[in-house]
């Protein structure tokens, strides 16, 4: 009989770079099995013990591909008694103008708007619903990665991005209500200016006004994601934790 893997398991989107990459490292360090999802194939030089068998190549902008990925993830979870302890919806896109400027509500083409909502908003709910049974079996939790741009106009983040993140924030509340009776907690984290490739030139000007006067590190975001998925947050659901050095005060 095949041996059942007793590690806790997380499914994490957008694992290849930035906040996602730091989150893989954090959970791996804590002994979790991390199933990573991104458009890239598994990079052989990745600094954690898991191999390609724990990586799913998926384009979250493609609904059909997301459906295929859900089936594949469920199949791979069978080796864990069909349990999923955490789903972290971290992948996100933030299209900018050619010069790095903000895409506004008047001119953003509808196809851009649709792509942004598919990746940032529809993919998270498709994954959460698709993996509902496994999350319920483990009394697991979901963390949706929103943004400071979801609650205020940002100088560089576009309107499609901002509204998709606001929608994801509301979805977190709705899901906490609906998933809670099944033992699944649902929270969000809203980063401010974190040092990753998503930032625009000119962010250094914003940093001058942030009370802590610096960018956030990806590891600082990963720590909060880990906390929310851990037993230490067992009575926390429907919340959105702001990680922004006081940028919104
Ligand atoms: N950095 C910040 O300051 C900041 C602030 C507020 C919110 N956030 C949010 O935090 C999350 C992570 O941001 P980050 O700065 O770490 O971003 P990043 O460095 O740009 O990385 C984005 C990740 O999303 C994945 N991704 C993008 N499009 C995808 C698609 N169609 N299908 C599958 N995966 C896709 C990318 O993987 P592949 O390219 O390999 O597919 C990559 O791993 C995002 O939701 C972002 O909106 C970041």
């Amino acid at each position: 009989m095949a041996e059942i893997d007793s590690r806790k398991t997380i499914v994490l989107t957008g694992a290849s770079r930035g906040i996602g990459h730091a989150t893989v490292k954090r959970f791996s360090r804590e002994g979790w099995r991390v199933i990573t999802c991104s458009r890239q194939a598994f990079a052989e030089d990745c600094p954690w013990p898991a191999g390609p068998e724990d990586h799913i190549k998926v384009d979250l902008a493609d609904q059909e591909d997301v459906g295929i990925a859900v089936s594949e993830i469920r199949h791979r979870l069978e080796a864990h008694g069909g349990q999923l302890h955490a789903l972290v919806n971290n992948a996100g896109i933030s299209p900018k103008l050619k010069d790095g400027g903000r895409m506004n509500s008047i001119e953003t083409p509808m196809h851009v708007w649709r792509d942004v909502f598919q990746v940032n908003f529809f993919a998270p709910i498709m994954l959460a619903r698709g993996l509902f049974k496994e999350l319920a079996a483990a009394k697991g939790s979901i963390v949706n990665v929103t943004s400071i741009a979801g609650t205020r106009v940002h100088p560089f983040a576009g309107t499609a991005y901002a509204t998709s993140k606001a929608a994801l924030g509301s979805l977190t509340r709705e899901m906490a209500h609906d998933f809670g009776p099944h033992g699944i907690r649902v929270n969000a984290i809203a980063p401010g200016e974190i040092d990753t490739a998503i930032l625009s030139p000119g962010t250094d000007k914003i940093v001058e006004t942030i009370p802590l006067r610096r960018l956030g590190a990806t590891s600082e975001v990963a720590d909060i994601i880990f906390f929310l998925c851990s037993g230490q947050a067992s009575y926390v659901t429907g919340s959105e934790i702001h990680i922004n050095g006081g940028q919104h005060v």
Side-chain angles (χ1 to χ4, degrees):
M1 210 171 81
E3 206 176 304
I4 294 201
D5 190 336
S6 61
R7 288 175 298 167
K8 286 188 169 178
T9 305
I10 173 181
V11 167
L12 169 73
T13 65
S16 57
R17 285 183 272 124
I19 292 168
H21 202 251
T23 306
V24 182
K25 288 199 261 183
R26 182 71 166 92
F27 278 77
S28 298
R29 213 166 61 226
E30 301 287 344
W32 287 51
R33 176 190 183 196
V34 184
I35 298 182
T36 56
C37 305
S38 72
R39 285 168 300 183
Q40 321 272 346
F42 182 79
E44 292 300 336
D45 56 348
C46 276
W48 52 85
E53 69 278 6
D54 281 344
H55 182 70
I56 310 268
K57 191 172 174 297
V58 54
D59 183 358
L60 298 171
D62 179 341
Q63 281 198 17
E64 209 177 311
D65 213 21
V66 180
I68 294 167
V70 166
S71 306
E72 181 57 31
I73 294 167
R74 296 192 70 191
H75 176 66
R76 296 196 196 182
L77 289 175
E78 277 170 22
H80 292 248
Q83 294 203 356
L84 178 61
H85 302 86
L87 165 66
V88 176
N89 286 308
N90 163 73
I93 52 171
S94 181
K96 310 265 167 42
L97 294 174
K98 279 207 182 83
D99 63 359
R102 173 176 175 273
M103 297 185 81
N104 70 28
S105 314
I106 303 165
E107 286 155 352
T108 299
M110 287 315 294
H111 70 89
V112 171
W113 216 296
R114 275 190 285 269
D115 276 352
V116 169
F117 264 74
Q118 171 55 35
V119 175
N120 295 4
F121 178 72
F122 289 117
I125 186 63
M126 289 175 76
L127 287 165
R129 279 158 47 143
L131 300 171
F132 175 82
K133 194 165 155 248
E134 289 76 9
L135 283 161
K139 301 263 178 281
S141 78
I142 299 172
V143 175
N144 293 322
V145 179
T146 61
S147 169
I148 194 167
T151 45
R152 64 210 56 235
V153 176
H154 189 276
F156 307 122
T159 187
Y161 176 80
T163 51
S164 73
K165 293 296 189 179
L168 187 58
S170 315
L171 178 67
T172 301
R173 195 172 57 240
E174 298 289 326
M175 286 170 66
H177 176 272
D178 299 340
F179 285 42
H182 302 274
I184 304 168
R185 297 182 297 106
V186 187
N187 292 291
I189 56 144
E193 312 299 330
I194 310 299
D195 196 0
T196 73
I198 217 171
L199 294 183
S200 299
T203 304
D204 44 331
K205 279 276 158 229
I206 301 180
V207 170
E208 288 170 13
T209 65
I210 295 176
L212 290 185
R213 297 287 193 277
R214 64 173 177 87
L215 293 175
T218 54
S219 61
E220 293 176 297
V221 181
D223 285 344
I224 303 300
I225 295 175
F226 182 76
F227 163 73
L228 284 171
C229 296
S230 76
Q232 295 200 315
S234 51
Y235 201 55
V236 181
T237 194
S239 73
E240 185 170 30
I241 297 187
H242 300 269
I243 310 169
N244 58 28
Q247 190 174 348
H248 67 335
V249 296

